[in-house]
Amino acid sequence: MGHVPLNHHLTCIKKVDSPSCPGCDTHFETVYHYLLICPAYRFARCMLE
């Protein structure tokens, strides 16, 4: 459904001002970015492999 507490969605419903990722400030904080490519969470992803 796309309704998640990440900044990209929260911006659409006017709960936060910016859709930027707080971890890296370079991309929108979407599910894809948060789970797969955000450098701020790289260590956590490596631990799960």
Side-chain angles (χ1 to χ4, degrees):
M1 291 180 61
H3 297 180
V4 294
L6 297 175
N7 285 345
H8 186 261
H9 174 68
L10 294 175
T11 302
C12 294
I13 61 172
K14 298 185 185 346
K15 294 293 182 181
V16 297
D17 293 328
S18 172
S20 296
C21 175
C24 67
D25 281 331
T26 59
H27 293 89
F28 287 169
E29 188 182 33
T30 61
V31 173
Y32 178 79
H33 172 76
Y34 182 78
L35 293 178
L36 299 175
I37 62 173
C38 184
Y41 304 107
R42 183 177 295 142
F43 180 74
R45 286 192 301 271
C46 288
M47 296 298 293
L48 293 172
E49 290 179 350

